[in-house]
Amino acid sequence: MNAQPLSATPVTEGAVCNTHPDRAALGTCARCGTFYCSEDRELVHGKIYCGTCAVLPEVDYLEAFRLKYWGKRDAWAWLVGLGAVANILLGGITVAVGAAESLLFGLFLLAAGVVGACFWLGMPWARLGFLFVPVGSIIVGAATEGAVAIARGVLPLAIAICIYNDTRNKLFFKEPVPAETLQKAWDLYMNNTMARAGFYLGILGVLVPGVGVIAIICSVIGLRRVNPNAHPPIGRKGQAITGIILGCISLVGWVAMMTAFSRAMGD
Ligand SMILES: [Zn+2]
Ligand SMILES: [Zn+2]
């Protein structure tokens, strides 16, 4: 326990803990302001809270984020699971009715399917094992087709490495993830999703007429939510502003284009 906490608020002489009246207060909770003692104070993201506040999702938002996705199948797991079904079906057919020279390929598909199925089930060995599926496909392919198979296998291998390093996927496999990595994933998935939606809708609005209006609305709501001093801090100011600008440009552009088009039709 930290003996001289960084953000402890000095307390008046004689103040006692809110939960333990027989103990001297050491400071006040950063969220609710009640007195805490050495027994029930918690240091979370550099601030000190009382025992009640420390476990709130908005205080320990990274822990809340971790628990939300702990053991929960992510999009990659579903994709790998679907691929496993396809591999097992295709592998089974190849082994059953295929020519003798495609037996190795069929067996490989079956093995890849089993690894994928175990990956979908969240079996710990399958997380690393899945990396060997593209490696195996390169080896099997190289044996039958030569260098072409190596070139074809590079992209699947790169994707498999991406999946292996993906934070949400690590959480699905209940792998320990350091706080900085959790913070990055939190920023990506949770931080001001309204501003992020506004930004992407702003890009879409350039291509699809009318979407710019939704982009502006989302971006304005997102921009109003930005608060770097909140806990957790809400960011994406730049994306919100870009979303508004893109939304406006696309609206003006589409109106100008439609006006020009109707003029041309009228002539
Ligand atoms: Zn509190
Ligand atoms: Zn106490």
Side-chain angles (χ1 to χ4, degrees):
M1 180 73 55
N2 203 341
Q4 205 71 55
L6 288 163
S7 53
T9 346
V11 285
T12 37
E13 203 68 39
V16 291
C17 172
N18 203 45
T19 331
H20 311 94
D22 54 324
R23 287 167 178 270
L26 288 178
T28 53
C29 170
R31 183 181 169 274
C32 70
T34 56
F35 289 124
Y36 56 72
C37 69
S38 59
E39 193 80 355
D40 52 6
R41 65 175 175 183
E42 296 285 347
L43 183 68
V44 185
H45 308 307
K47 286 183 182 170
I48 299 181
Y49 298 89
C50 71
T52 318
C53 290
V55 294
L56 291 175
E58 70 261 35
V59 170
D60 204 350
Y61 62 99
L62 289 184
E63 179 62 8
F65 176 77
R66 191 181 69 83
L67 289 176
K68 188 179 174 191
Y69 294 111
W70 194 248
K72 197 181 161 211
R73 237 168 241 118
D74 65 332
W76 284 126
W78 283 106
L79 209 65
V80 170
L82 273 176
V85 174
N87 277 341
I88 289 172
L89 282 176
L90 205 66
I93 293 168
T94 310
V95 169
V97 298
E101 56 264 35
S102 56
L103 182 68
L104 178 67
F105 179 64
L107 288 173
F108 170 73
L109 283 182
L110 278 178
V114 170
V115 174
C118 293
F119 186 98
W120 183 82
L121 288 169
M123 292 183 181
W125 69 268
R127 196 172 99 79
L128 187 66
F130 186 69
L131 279 178
F132 288 93
V133 172
V135 173
S137 116
I138 290 174
I139 294 169
V140 170
T144 51
E145 297 166 75
V148 152
I150 299 170
R152 204 182 46 211
V154 171
L155 185 66
L157 183 61
I159 294 172
I161 292 170
C162 273
I163 299 175
Y164 187 79
N165 287 311
D166 185 80
T167 306
R168 282 273 307 270
N169 196 257
K170 280 182 187 169
L171 292 177
F172 161 56
F173 277 100
K174 300 184 176 177
E175 280 284 310
V177 175
E180 312 88 75
T181 315
L182 274 180
Q183 179 70 55
K184 274 187 200 149
W186 184 87
D187 275 329
L188 184 66
Y189 297 110
M190 313 298 263
N191 194 355
N192 208 344
T193 45
M194 191 56 93
R196 185 183 60 183
F199 174 71
Y200 287 113
L201 286 169
I203 295 171
L204 191 66
V206 178
L207 307 167
V208 184
V211 176
V213 181
I214 313 166
I216 294 170
I217 294 169
C218 289
S219 301
V220 168
I221 298 171
L223 188 62
R224 287 172 61 101
R225 284 186 186 169
V226 170
N227 182 3
N229 299 318
H231 199 91
I234 306 300
R236 293 190 191 271
K237 191 180 180 179
Q239 280 197 346
I241 293 170
T242 313
I244 295 172
I245 295 170
L246 281 174
C248 292
I249 290 174
S250 69
L251 276 187
V252 172
W254 280 110
V255 168
M257 211 156 99
M258 279 167 184
T259 314
F261 183 71
S262 63
R263 276 211 194 115
M265 294 298 280
D267 283 346

